[in-house]
Amino acid sequence: MARLLESKKAFNAEVNQYEHNSPTLGCVMKFSVINGGSGSDEKLPVIYWLSGLTCSDRNFIEKAGAFRAAVENRVIIVCPDTSPRGVDIEGDSESWDFGKGAGFYLNATQPKWAANYKMYDYVTNELMEIIEQTVKTNGKKAIMGHSMGGHGALTIALRNPGVYTSVSAFAPICNPMQCPWGNKAFTGYLGDDQEQWKAYDATEQMKGMKAAPFDDILIDVGDKDNFLTAGQLLPENFKAACDQVGQKCSLRMQPGYDHSYFFIATFIEDHIKFHKQRLAN
Amino acid sequence: MARLLESKKAFNAEVNQYEHNSPTLGCVMKFSVINGGSGSDEKLPVIYWLSGLTCSDRNFIEKAGAFRAAVENRVIIVCPDTSPRGVDIEGDSESWDFGKGAGFYLNATQPKWAANYKMYDYVTNELMEIIEQTVKTNGKKAIMGHSMGGHGALTIALRNPGVYTSVSAFAPICNPMQCPWGNKAFTGYLGDDQEQWKAYDATEQMKGMKAAPFDDILIDVGDKDNFLTAGQLLPENFKAACDQVGQKCSLRMQPGYDHSYFFIATFIEDHIKFHKQRLAN
């Protein structure tokens, strides 16, 4: 059972933080929840939000300004942390794009990391069970995320057909095998065999699809995003893979926006509405 | 002249951070601006936002979710820092409610602090001049703030008749002479003569008014605010002083809300509209 750490109110939504013992990750994990239906007995759908590098369960809560849209669309938004916490592994704090705050939503296979760095299993299994015990849901789920969390949302949605009704992302790392962040993380967590990397690469996953798994995938990217120009995101590769499979992908290049939560705050309502429309069917 | 440090975009608003050399405070100061009319040549009114204890110029920008309302109401919001920075005075970092991050929007008279701790002069003179040089304004001004910044907004508005068309506050310290925060700050910055304190006490200022200076003063306070129950805010004292003078004060006790930015985010649109309505006249 999750333990309630804090309960706040925003736009009539309940904004709670919880912690729980995670057997999957071998540590205590925190997660935050925006409950857009607080005060009523209605069972609501859940949208999982996966955050980017360096983030905790709190960045989205404090900076995305998603409360009003959560209440208006009557959804629950769940924000897990981005890596195991409270375990100390040599090298887990040396860089901001590997180790703590950078779990990459995968199951590590390299011996040093394999015992704890299982964020894929955590998000797709353990966290879901905890959520069903903690809040009133109607069992319907969607998933979205930002940057590393956009990568997580896309790969998790594509690898778990039928579990999530919809997926969207902000500035996702779309093809991590082809970018510096992904290369570093996959080498560290998964080793040198690039065949093993494909399970965690959204573009590779999409290429392998026999049919389009979703009616649409919504992706927003700011055209002033430094990480886009640095070749870390590669949305065009994912879009090309979608085209190949016949998967509609609404890739919107947003003029003047960067990689920050100011960008996320601007378009989060669009994403929540995109998911709610599909969750309501 | 202010130097631009950073420029972001949110909801089509320009969100800029600047720094400038402040002769008033004897140090380099930063301030942040949300420009709800970016991209047009229209000259807009300015709402000054004064933050609370421990805050910098960034808390409101990152957590209040005010972008959309700034754009829809076509206003500029200016957020200064809460104390001088970059000067080191013995004792300025020992507590979170005095010294750095806790300038209390007054002009200190005690020798140790008097050279730098002049946030009253900074906000009412120097910052205003810098803003007129930095952004396109139509010269109209309003002021609002939170907690210590609510105290600042109320006292500055009351002491500068005709300068601000309107004033509002979130959970303001309404009667600092009668609360622990105010006692500590005023003793430290102003010394033991309580007659000197009245210049920076909104309730005392209101009591001294001959006529109501504003058509209305909007104040929101959460009824789950720990600092309300601890007697730090005393909005009832300010309200009583308003009643005495015939000043309308719309004091709204918001059920379930606390002292946090979740509370501010929920009601900031109301405050921006309150000001815009008056700034437009």
Side-chain angles (χ1 to χ4, degrees):
Chain A
M1 281 299 290
R3 300 175 288 278
L4 182 65
L5 296 176
E6 176 183 296
S7 184
K8 304 267 188 182
K9 191 175 172 185
F11 286 92
N12 263 323
E14 212 173 73
V15 185
N16 291 352
Q17 187 183 38
Y18 300 88
E19 68 171 17
H20 70 109
N21 304 320
S22 167
T24 304
L25 305 178
C27 61
V28 172
M29 292 293 288
K30 291 178 182 167
F31 62 89
S32 291
V33 176
I34 300 173
N35 192 331
S38 54
S40 92
D41 278 339
E42 196 187 345
K43 292 180 175 181
L44 299 185
V46 175
I47 309 176
Y48 287 86
W49 169 269
L50 304 184
S51 278
L53 290 164
T54 76
C55 289
S56 74
D57 62 310
R58 298 306 286 173
N59 300 65
F60 182 86
I61 299 293
E62 295 180 353
K63 296 184 173 180
F67 310 117
R68 176 155 62 181
V71 170
E72 286 177 355
N73 291 283
R74 302 193 70 68
V75 295
I76 293 163
I77 302 176
V78 173
C79 306
D81 206 339
T82 57
S83 76
R85 302 279 177 180
V87 283
D88 291 312
I89 300 173
E90 186 233 328
D92 70 2
S93 302
E94 282 166 16
S95 49
W96 60 274
D97 55 3
F98 189 77
K100 278 185 184 153
F104 268 86
Y105 306 102
L106 51 73
N107 293 332
T109 55
Q110 294 308 97
K112 202 163 117 178
W113 307 99
N116 303 101
Y117 278 70
K118 293 180 176 166
M119 289 298 290
Y120 181 87
D121 277 356
Y122 175 71
V123 170
T124 57
N125 287 305
E126 186 176 297
L127 179 64
M128 258 189 216
E129 284 173 28
I130 292 275
I131 292 302
E132 296 302 325
Q133 296 163 16
T134 307
V135 289
K136 285 179 187 161
T137 86
N138 67 5
K140 294 203 175 188
K141 300 168 195 72
I143 193 163
M144 60 183 178
H146 171 231
S147 196
M148 176 183 73
H151 141 76
L154 291 172
T155 52
I156 285 172
L158 292 174
R159 289 180 55 181
N160 294 273
V163 173
Y164 304 91
T165 62
S166 48
V167 57
S168 76
F170 293 83
I173 304 173
C174 288
N175 195 2
M177 294 179 68
Q178 304 299 332
C179 83
W181 276 338
N183 259 270
K184 178 175 177 177
F186 287 3
T187 303
Y189 293 130
L190 303 172
D192 291 330
D193 178 6
Q194 299 206 1
E195 275 306 305
Q196 307 303 315
W197 296 11
K198 291 184 178 173
Y200 301 109
D201 185 298
T203 299
E204 290 297 326
Q205 287 295 308
M206 184 54 76
K207 280 184 194 166
M209 291 283 153
K210 296 213 173 78
F214 296 101
D215 72 319
D216 192 6
I217 295 173
L218 175 60
I219 297 180
D220 277 316
V221 182
D223 74 356
K224 292 281 192 297
D225 186 324
N226 290 336
F227 299 115
L228 173 70
T229 42
Q232 297 281 21
L233 309 180
L234 304 172
E236 63 281 8
N237 293 7
F238 183 71
K239 173 82 169 149
C242 286
D243 289 347
Q244 206 175 301
V245 174
Q247 169 66 56
K248 183 180 174 192
C249 176
S250 298
L251 171 59
R252 311 190 303 186
M253 300 304 298
Q254 301 288 4
Y257 289 90
D258 68 3
H259 201 70
S260 70
Y261 267 89
F262 298 121
F263 160 61
I264 297 170
T266 305
F267 299 105
I268 188 64
E269 186 176 7
D270 287 358
H271 285 242
I272 291 171
K273 283 181 178 168
F274 173 85
H275 291 294
K276 179 56 190 286
Q277 203 178 353
R278 287 154 179 84
L279 289 161
N281 287 336
Chain B
M1 280 298 290
R3 298 174 289 276
L4 182 66
L5 297 176
E6 177 184 294
S7 184
K8 304 267 187 183
K9 191 175 172 185
F11 287 91
N12 264 324
E14 210 172 73
V15 185
N16 291 351
Q17 188 182 36
Y18 301 88
E19 68 171 17
H20 69 109
N21 305 319
S22 167
T24 304
L25 305 178
C27 61
V28 172
M29 291 294 286
K30 291 177 182 167
F31 63 88
S32 292
V33 175
I34 300 173
N35 192 331
S38 55
S40 92
D41 278 340
E42 196 186 346
K43 292 180 175 182
L44 299 184
V46 174
I47 309 176
Y48 287 86
W49 169 268
L50 304 184
S51 278
L53 290 165
T54 77
C55 289
S56 73
D57 62 310
R58 298 306 286 173
N59 300 64
F60 182 86
I61 298 292
E62 293 180 355
K63 296 186 172 179
F67 311 117
R68 176 154 64 182
V71 170
E72 286 178 355
N73 291 284
R74 302 194 70 69
V75 295
I76 293 163
I77 302 176
V78 172
C79 306
D81 206 339
T82 58
S83 75
R85 301 281 177 177
V87 284
D88 291 312
I89 299 172
E90 186 232 328
D92 70 3
S93 302
E94 282 167 16
S95 48
W96 59 274
D97 54 3
F98 189 78
K100 279 186 183 154
F104 269 86
Y105 305 100
L106 52 72
N107 293 333
T109 55
Q110 295 308 97
K112 203 163 113 178
W113 307 99
N116 303 100
Y117 278 70
K118 292 179 178 169
M119 289 299 291
Y120 181 87
D121 278 354
Y122 176 71
V123 170
T124 56
N125 287 305
E126 186 176 295
L127 179 64
M128 258 190 216
E129 284 172 28
I130 291 274
I131 292 301
E132 297 301 324
Q133 295 162 15
T134 308
V135 288
K136 285 178 187 162
T137 86
N138 67 6
K140 294 204 173 186
K141 300 170 197 71
I143 191 163
M144 60 183 178
H146 172 231
S147 196
M148 175 184 75
H151 140 77
L154 291 171
T155 51
I156 285 172
L158 292 174
R159 287 180 56 181
N160 293 273
V163 173
Y164 303 92
T165 61
S166 48
V167 58
S168 75
F170 293 82
I173 305 172
C174 288
N175 195 4
M177 293 181 68
Q178 305 298 333
C179 83
W181 277 338
N183 260 271
K184 179 176 176 177
F186 288 2
T187 303
Y189 294 130
L190 304 172
D192 291 330
D193 178 7
Q194 300 208 0
E195 274 306 305
Q196 307 303 315
W197 297 9
K198 291 183 178 175
Y200 301 108
D201 185 298
T203 299
E204 290 297 326
Q205 287 296 310
M206 184 54 75
K207 280 183 192 166
M209 292 282 153
K210 296 213 170 79
F214 296 101
D215 72 320
D216 192 4
I217 296 174
L218 175 60
I219 297 180
D220 277 315
V221 183
D223 74 356
K224 294 280 191 299
D225 185 325
N226 290 335
F227 299 115
L228 174 70
T229 43
Q232 297 280 22
L233 308 180
L234 305 170
E236 64 280 10
N237 293 8
F238 184 72
K239 173 82 170 149
C242 285
D243 289 349
Q244 204 174 302
V245 175
Q247 170 65 56
K248 182 180 175 193
C249 176
S250 297
L251 171 60
R252 310 190 303 186
M253 300 305 296
Q254 301 288 2
Y257 289 90
D258 68 3
H259 201 70
S260 69
Y261 266 88
F262 298 121
F263 160 61
I264 296 169
T266 305
F267 299 106
I268 188 64
E269 185 176 7
D270 286 359
H271 284 242
I272 291 172
K273 282 180 178 167
F274 173 86
H275 291 294
K276 180 55 190 283
Q277 203 179 353
R278 287 156 179 83
L279 289 161
N281 288 336

